[in-house]
Amino acid sequence: MEWRILGSFGGSSPACRMTSFLVDGTLALDAGSLTQALTVPEQERVSRIVLSHSHLDHVASIPFLVENVFADGAKTLEILLTPEVHDTVKRHLFNNDLWPDFTRIPSQLAPAVKLVQMLPRVPFAVGHLTLTPIPVNHTVPTCGFLVEEQGGGAVLFTSDTGPTQEVWEAANRCPNLRALIVEVSFPSRLQRIADLSLHLTPQTLAQELQKLSRQVPVYLYHLKPRYLEELRQELSTTPFPQPVVELQQGETYRF
Ligand SMILES: [Zn+2]
Ligand SMILES: [Zn+2]
């Protein structure tokens, strides 16, 4: 499957200070920067968004994608989310206050946006892909995703998390795992801030990778722009149990 990296933090364009991946051209995994990174024809191909959690760097482009492509109700954008994220999106985003309630516009029968609930640990199919949300350890309810292609490989995306357990067990269990996309946000000098905000530093990332019982390519995302150079320097000297490499903003990976 093809993963296009629209927003993974490690770069200098505004789009990369958010989180979004485009899988096989039509499925967005998180939606921080869809409208900044994609042309309008490319935005028109996006039919579904799967959200890992409600933080702004993962949802910020949804209102503008709806405005650009779906507002007339000619087709519907499906947003898959857990019950907790569903409540937050309804209460704080599509609330007729911050943004119009596009789950009822232009009409309740043909809305621009349909919110579809998914449950942690319950796999669901999206075309030729099966996604399993796996709870991780962040300041708001958050799921990483195991994304499996029928008859092909699998990718595991941790989303934002501090030290956690279940995703590593899922990685160890998945026979076709081709890649892990793991967060690292702050340099270890700021360990206290990372622990409070439930993110990883190179130090805690190294401990987390000890939980992996297999060798698989590990790609990093969510390097906070303010500490990018310091993080890169620390990552290059940290003894990880297996090699890690920064995900390249704007690149397309085939897994
Ligand atoms: Zn977050
Ligand atoms: Zn984030």
Side-chain angles (χ1 to χ4, degrees):
M1 74 192 111
E2 190 182 280
W3 285 54
R4 185 166 158 196
I5 313 307
L6 307 181
S8 66
F9 280 58
S12 54
S13 78
C16 70
R17 285 144 198 264
M18 306 278 173
T19 301
S20 339
F21 308 108
L22 187 65
V23 183
D24 289 346
T26 59
L27 170 71
L29 203 49
D30 282 339
S33 53
L34 298 175
T35 50
Q36 298 95 315
L38 297 175
T39 63
V40 170
E42 287 169 340
Q43 292 173 37
E44 284 169 349
R45 289 193 63 211
V46 176
S47 54
R48 279 193 193 85
I49 297 172
V50 177
L51 291 181
S52 68
H53 66 302
S54 56
H55 278 158
L56 266 184
D57 56 304
H58 299 250
V59 305
S61 66
I62 294 175
F64 311 108
L65 179 73
V66 174
E67 179 102 326
N68 289 351
V69 178
F70 297 91
D72 60 5
K75 53 182 187 165
T76 299
L77 173 67
E78 243 182 51
I79 304 178
L80 290 106
L81 21 60
T82 57
E84 292 98 336
V85 179
H86 178 274
D87 288 352
T88 305
V89 166
K90 282 290 280 185
R91 193 152 18 105
H92 297 296
L93 184 58
F94 294 122
N95 58 4
N96 283 326
D97 202 357
L98 195 65
W99 206 246
D101 181 3
F102 278 107
T103 65
R104 292 163 196 277
I105 294 173
S107 77
Q108 214 147 338
L109 284 177
V113 174
K114 193 171 156 199
L115 301 179
V116 180
Q117 295 202 14
M118 63 187 181
L119 292 172
R121 306 180 186 90
V122 178
F124 58 91
V126 176
H128 61 300
L129 304 173
T130 302
L131 280 77
T132 308
I134 303 167
V136 293
N137 184 25
H138 196 32
T139 49
V140 292
T142 302
C143 283
F145 292 95
L146 180 65
V147 183
E148 296 171 279
E149 184 177 24
Q150 278 159 32
V155 177
L156 200 148
F157 163 57
T158 66
S159 190
D160 296 8
T161 185
T164 189
Q165 192 58 38
E166 233 177 295
V167 276
W168 305 115
E169 290 165 5
N172 290 335
R173 270 198 315 265
C174 178
N176 301 329
L177 193 65
R178 302 257 169 91
L180 269 163
I181 299 176
V182 185
E183 84 125 271
V184 65
S185 295
F186 294 100
S188 303
R189 168 175 77 80
L190 300 174
Q191 189 63 54
R192 196 174 153 272
I193 292 173
D195 290 344
L196 286 171
S197 57
L198 288 170
H199 284 295
L200 297 176
T201 65
Q203 205 174 0
T204 40
L205 173 64
Q207 290 161 10
E208 289 300 286
L209 292 178
Q210 303 277 8
K211 298 173 186 171
L212 267 181
S213 61
R214 59 196 298 182
Q215 292 284 320
V216 60
V218 177
Y219 297 92
L220 303 178
Y221 91 106
H222 216 268
L223 291 82
K224 295 275 185 188
R226 188 168 171 197
Y227 309 110
L228 194 54
E229 287 316 314
E230 187 182 351
L231 262 170
R232 282 177 177 155
Q233 173 62 29
E234 191 186 347
L235 288 166
S236 70
T237 55
T238 303
F240 289 106
Q242 54 180 297
V244 299
V245 54
E246 194 183 318
L247 209 52
Q248 291 302 307
Q249 177 72 33
E251 290 297 313
T252 297
Y253 294 75
R254 274 167 242 288
F255 297 119

